[in-house]
Amino acid sequence: MKRIITLWNKLELKKRLFLTTSILITFLTTIITTMVFLILPNLYYSACGYEPMNRVKFFDILPMIIMLIIVFSIISSFLFMRLITKPLVDIIDKEHLQTVRKKEFMAAISHDLKTPITIISGQLEGMIYNVGKYKDRNFYLKKCYEDIQELKLLINRTIEISKRDLLTDGLVKTDVDINTLLEEVISKHKFLYNSKNISMKLKINNNKKIFANKEDMQTVLNNLVSNAILYSPQNGEIIITLSEVKKKVSETVIRFSIENTGVSLSKEDLVKIFDPLYRVESSRNRNTGGTGLGLYFVNQILKNHGFFYKMFSRENSTVFIVDFKPYKI
């Protein structure tokens, strides 16, 4: 009995619900079929003064009864699973996934907030008691200020997640002119890539709009362009393309590609790159490496929109690809 219970608990929720539904429907079908083919006819014959159905007649129709029970149970279970059970399980899975994502994010944020708080607390305590190197208050007040700015940035990012509610589906989608939006984003970053003498190459071969939330797409493009600039070396090159691509015979997507030369990511980095607060550079210094939340935002937004995306490295470059769905009138 314990082994059966253990095996039952190991089954996925969908399989358990399907088996439970099948058993219940089979039981109900057996009762209904027995009543229709045996009990009700006998009651009818008795009420009319005829002899009840004898055993021979019952066993003659027994194979037909069993066949009807099996067929009806299978069809009923399948329909019940498709129309009622599956949508409910999908809702449960979705809620569970959202809860897990929120817990992971809050755990990562809490862990990362401890570091600057501990540093600030230690520096202030050292200055209060005028201990050793902390006698140089001007220097360590400046350090405290820098750490507080780091805290402020993390808190603002956390508030941004709460406001935008990236982990739910409350998105207002409409037709978005991705060409214009991309050009605007690149224009905003002109000072940054010029200051590093980076060559920015933009190739647009697209005449369609996409179906998405405009603010979310702006966030995605801002993060991807700023990351490409941030991690490109001096005198590097960034190649951005936006074009219509046939994925299937009947499916066309608008593919966005951004490639920055001069830097490659390891397999370990590519696996962890979308984790909250993960930063690629070994120093993990936010002055040059950001908060580690940018690509986490990108990941969540693109998942919520159902857009395919991929990040990979070549020998001397890193590429990020997004397939946007075109707007259909």
Side-chain angles (χ1 to χ4, degrees):
M1 187 66 183
K2 287 183 179 179
R3 190 171 181 178
I4 294 171
I5 294 170
T6 304
L7 289 171
W8 177 261
N9 290 331
K10 286 182 178 179
L11 287 174
E12 292 179 7
L13 180 60
K14 287 182 181 179
K15 291 180 180 178
R16 278 189 279 173
L17 285 171
F18 181 76
L19 286 173
T20 305
T21 303
S22 300
I23 292 167
L24 288 172
I25 290 176
T26 302
F27 178 71
L28 291 171
T29 305
T30 304
I31 293 173
I32 293 167
T33 308
T34 304
M35 288 183 66
V36 170
F37 285 94
L38 185 62
I39 298 173
L40 292 180
N42 281 334
L43 290 173
Y44 174 75
Y45 292 146
S46 298
C48 295
Y50 299 116
E51 289 186 8
M53 186 187 297
N54 57 40
R55 285 186 179 181
V56 177
K57 287 183 179 180
F58 173 70
F59 283 108
D60 284 344
I61 65 171
L62 184 59
M64 184 178 68
I65 293 173
I66 294 172
M67 185 62 68
L68 284 170
I69 290 171
I70 293 170
V71 172
F72 185 78
S73 298
I74 292 171
I75 294 171
S76 301
S77 299
F78 177 77
L79 289 174
F80 192 86
M81 188 71 184
R82 291 284 296 179
L83 299 175
I84 298 175
T85 309
K86 188 178 181 298
L88 287 174
V89 172
D90 289 343
I91 291 169
I92 293 169
D93 287 344
K94 195 172 185 179
E95 289 294 329
H96 176 69
L97 181 61
Q98 289 176 1
T99 303
V100 170
R101 285 180 183 174
K102 287 175 181 177
K103 284 182 178 179
E104 286 176 352
F105 178 76
M106 292 311 298
I109 282 288
S110 299
H111 179 269
D112 224 53
L113 284 173
K114 287 178 183 176
T115 302
I117 289 172
T118 303
I119 291 171
I120 293 167
S121 177
Q123 290 172 347
L124 289 173
E125 188 176 357
M127 285 186 282
I128 289 169
Y129 293 104
N130 209 26
V131 177
K133 61 182 181 180
Y134 296 106
K135 291 178 182 178
D136 188 355
R137 295 194 175 192
N138 288 337
F139 176 79
Y140 282 100
L141 278 173
K142 185 180 177 182
K143 292 288 290 180
C144 283
Y145 176 79
E146 290 172 356
D147 292 328
I148 287 171
Q149 295 310 302
E150 182 179 316
L151 264 177
K152 181 181 176 183
L153 186 59
L154 276 174
I155 291 167
N156 286 340
R157 286 291 196 177
T158 308
I159 292 169
E160 186 180 338
I161 284 182
S162 300
K163 283 183 177 179
R164 295 172 62 79
D165 199 19
L166 293 178
L167 304 179
T168 63
D169 280 339
L171 297 173
V172 178
K173 298 179 184 179
T174 183
D175 58 316
V176 177
D177 188 343
I178 191 69
N179 295 8
T180 303
L181 192 61
L182 177 58
E183 288 171 347
E184 288 174 356
V185 168
I186 292 172
S187 179
K188 287 177 184 177
H189 289 81
K190 189 174 182 179
F191 173 79
L192 290 176
Y193 65 77
N194 280 341
S195 66
K196 295 181 73 173
N197 198 28
I198 291 171
S199 171
M200 180 71 71
K201 294 183 178 179
L202 175 63
K203 303 173 185 176
I204 296 179
N205 186 22
N206 169 56
N207 296 314
K208 294 182 179 179
K209 295 182 179 181
I210 67 169
F211 185 61
N213 179 276
K214 186 176 180 179
E215 289 182 3
D216 281 350
M217 293 307 101
Q218 193 167 23
T219 299
V220 168
L221 295 176
N222 266 318
N223 274 293
L224 295 179
V225 171
S226 62
N227 273 355
I229 296 169
L230 180 67
Y231 291 105
S232 290
Q234 288 283 340
N235 306 311
E237 183 180 57
I238 296 174
I239 303 164
I240 300 175
T241 61
L242 191 65
S243 58
E244 295 176 30
V245 176
K246 280 264 186 188
K247 286 192 80 172
K248 297 177 183 177
V249 177
S250 59
E251 184 184 3
T252 301
V253 297
I254 300 166
R255 177 162 293 175
F256 165 82
S257 171
I258 182 165
E259 179 177 7
N260 56 307
T261 59
V263 61
S264 292
L265 299 179
S266 67
K267 289 182 179 179
E268 182 186 353
D269 283 331
L270 288 170
V271 170
K272 297 179 179 179
I273 197 72
F274 297 110
D275 291 350
L277 304 173
Y278 183 78
R279 292 179 295 281
V280 171
E281 63 171 346
S282 56
S283 68
R284 300 296 189 257
N285 180 3
R286 286 195 185 91
N287 293 330
T288 56
T291 62
L293 287 172
L295 285 178
Y296 174 74
F297 283 149
V298 170
N299 173 51
Q300 296 300 320
I301 290 171
L302 295 178
K303 275 186 179 178
N304 283 345
H305 278 76
F307 294 155
F308 168 82
Y309 62 96
K310 182 169 67 172
M311 188 175 186
F312 58 93
S313 278
R314 292 177 176 150
E315 187 176 343
N316 191 41
S317 67
T318 301
V319 186
F320 197 107
I321 289 173
V322 183
D323 285 348
F324 297 113
K325 294 175 184 176
Y327 177 75
K328 295 180 182 178
I329 300 173

